[in-house]
Amino acid sequence: MPDRLLTVAEAGDMLGTGERFVRRLIAERRIRYVKLGRPVRIPESALTEYVEARTVEPVRRTRVRYGRAA
């Protein structure tokens, strides 16, 4: 099944940002897109890849049981 192609506005809604941010990603070639004449469409998988590549996992720190001696 082919990817669903999203408009810039739909991609912005999906990312929780505005159209301007999505257009900047396109202009800087930081996200894949499809050019259909003048309008552009973003594949849903491109947004998923973008989010996964920029997801930062939390660091698990071990908790010290006793405080330092003064």
Side-chain angles (χ1 to χ4, degrees):
M1 176 177 235
D3 258 349
R4 186 170 151 227
L5 296 177
L6 305 171
T7 64
V8 173
E10 290 172 332
D13 289 341
M14 196 171 202
L15 290 175
T17 63
E19 289 182 38
R20 187 174 180 180
F21 178 72
V22 177
R23 290 195 186 282
R24 192 173 84 217
L25 291 176
I26 291 168
E28 295 174 356
R29 311 267 182 181
R30 291 172 32 190
I31 196 166
R32 286 186 298 118
Y33 65 94
V34 178
K35 188 136 175 86
L36 303 170
R38 185 170 183 212
V40 294
R41 299 290 184 261
I42 298 99
E44 232 175 336
S45 63
L47 292 179
T48 305
E49 290 169 12
Y50 178 79
V51 170
E52 286 176 359
R54 281 148 187 82
T55 299
V56 179
E57 296 297 325
V59 176
R60 296 203 78 151
R61 293 178 28 177
T62 57
R63 192 168 168 194
V64 179
R65 289 186 85 168
Y66 303 104
R68 289 187 162 174

